[in-house]
Amino acid sequence: MALPAPVIGFDLDMTLIDSRPGIGAVYEALSAETGVHVDTALVTSRLGPPLPVELANWFPADQVPAMVDRYRALYPALAVTPTIALPGALDALRAVHALGGSTVVVTSKFAPNAQLHVEHLGLPVDDIVGNVYAAGKGPALAERGAVVYVGDHTADIAAARAGGAVAVAVASGPFDADALRAGGADVVLESLTEFPDWLKASRG
């Protein structure tokens, strides 16, 4: 059955962009400021969960809100420039527009910082929703009528399910293709370079 003119949702980190160098730089700066050791290699190997969840692994609970604020303040100067678009990201977004559709980024990242990445890399994104994770992304997807949600994390599969969208998983993040299949993805792609052909085929 062919999909209608698509509204397609995309995760951001490790789906559209490789933000590991930038995020690592912010954590290194936060560690230097506070004197608290943060294993940045570990942090950047498991991107996906919300910032407060990750920070709670390194700071006492009563310090986490302040660390969230400081991280977000450091982010624009340190994380945007080192971040690159992942292979196929631009073409994937353009493929949606070529079919008359629209694109929305739905991410756990702080929305203003997500916007900085989109603008810096010139990604043709029509809408951004931030500060939502896993099934919490569902309402944003459903409200916009998203028929597909593309992500790299098993939590993104849960997001697609919650939003009534087809779960397309890309093996560009912390989970390989087998893990994404086991997690219930409807479609698994090795990278976004495969997305335009899949999207075209999905429309019959």
Side-chain angles (χ1 to χ4, degrees):
M1 181 177 178
L3 293 172
V7 176
I8 307 292
F10 291 86
D11 179 47
L12 187 62
D13 292 303
M14 302 312 300
T15 298
L16 291 172
I17 65 174
D18 184 350
S19 52
R20 291 173 297 183
I23 288 174
V26 178
Y27 274 102
E28 287 170 6
L30 197 62
S31 179
E33 282 189 6
T34 61
V36 174
H37 170 70
V38 177
D39 185 340
T40 56
L42 178 59
V43 169
T44 56
S45 74
R46 60 188 186 195
L47 298 181
L51 177 60
V53 173
E54 183 59 56
L55 286 169
N57 293 313
W58 311 102
F59 295 91
D62 63 341
Q63 295 180 21
V64 167
M67 293 302 101
V68 167
D69 290 344
R70 185 57 183 150
Y71 175 100
R72 289 175 174 168
L74 291 166
Y75 196 97
L78 297 176
V80 176
T81 300
T83 293
I84 62 172
L86 282 165
L90 188 58
D91 286 343
L93 295 166
R94 286 174 172 167
V96 178
H97 289 146
L99 295 176
S102 61
T103 58
V104 55
V105 164
V106 184
T107 175
S108 65
K109 190 182 292 297
F110 184 50
N113 287 340
Q115 182 69 42
L116 291 175
H117 284 301
V118 167
E119 292 174 354
H120 178 73
L121 294 171
L123 299 176
V125 171
D126 300 305
D127 193 8
I128 295 175
V129 180
N131 301 327
V132 287
Y133 179 63
K137 296 180 177 182
L141 294 169
E143 287 166 8
R144 287 158 179 78
V147 295
V148 174
Y149 184 62
V150 186
D152 65 283
H153 200 285
T154 52
D156 296 324
I157 299 169
R161 291 277 176 272
V166 174
V168 175
V170 286
S172 49
F175 295 94
D176 65 16
D178 288 340
L180 293 167
R181 289 187 190 96
D186 297 306
V187 178
V188 177
L189 308 175
E190 287 297 328
S191 80
L192 279 181
T193 60
E194 300 173 11
F195 181 80
D197 285 345
W198 173 82
L199 181 63
K200 183 177 179 180
S202 75
R203 292 177 58 79

